[in-house]
Every structure is written in structure tokens, then in C-alpha cells.
Amino acid sequence: MRCVIARYPFDLTKSEVEEMLKGIRPEQPVTGPCAVISRKLYPVKQVGEVITKQDRRDFTAFEVTRALTRLGFTCHETPPAPPAPAPVAPSADADPADSGPESTSYIGTTLG
């Protein structure tokens, strides 16, 4: 598919982009526009730099996001929130009297 990034046309396919990014670790932390490529979350500016071989200042994140979306990749304006941890159930051997503000230990503390 023909994509224009930084005023230059590129003929790209989804599999070519995945191949170009194979072995390249996503920069961390991802804070802005990002894309999911091969089950990894990449900043779109990093992807644009790899696929165009141009400096990141030569193109916008929007140009790369538009091209990646047209190729079938999932793009986000900001990184998706990590899944919330599952609630931990209290263990069966926990004593309910050992929880709450009344159970706070003040040993070695001067109150007053």
C-alpha cells in the first residue's frame, strides 16, 4: 500500500513493517501515540524512523499513525491502561481481629 510520510511515498505492507521491526525493542516508557505491532507496543515515532530511515523530526506522529492504521495495525493516542490486578481474597487462616486501625502496633512508639 502506498503511504506518504514526510512528503515521500513508501510502498509498504503489514508483513514488511513487522519484519523491519523484528528484533527492535520498543522504547520505554511509551507515553504518546503508539501502535501494536507483533503484540508489542511501539511509539509511532520509533516505527516511523525505522520504516522511513529518516530523522523523527522530519515527520509527524499523525502521518505514521495514519499509515499504520491503513496497513491494519491498531494505534492509540496514548498507551492503553494496564489491566487492573485481580482482587486478592483474604486467606482462610487470617484473623479478622488483626485488621483495621485498632490492630495497629505502637510498640516502641512514644505517644503523647
Side-chain angles (χ1 to χ4, degrees), residues 4-8 10 33-34 43-49 51-52 54-68 77:
V4 177
I5 301 173
R7 298 183 313 268
Y8 292 98
F10 294 92
C34 52
V44 294
K45 286 284 211 165
Q46 180 185 12
V47 175
E49 185 176 51
I51 64 177
T52 66
Q54 295 178 357
D55 189 276
R56 296 176 189 205
R57 294 172 290 185
D58 294 340
F59 53 84
T60 65
F62 177 75
E63 290 175 298
V64 180
T65 300
R66 182 179 56 212
L68 293 174
E77 283 298 312

Side-chain angles (χ1 to χ4, degrees), residues 106-112:
Y106 294 105
I107 297 174
T109 306
T110 305
L111 299 176

Side-chain angles (χ1 to χ4, degrees), residues 14-15 17-19 21-22 35-42 73:
K14 186 174 184 176
S15 59
V17 173
E18 291 171 335
E19 188 63 33
L21 289 167
K22 188 178 276 187
V36 178
I37 300 173
S38 300
R39 296 175 31 205
K40 296 178 187 171
L41 192 65
Y42 287 90
F73 293 106

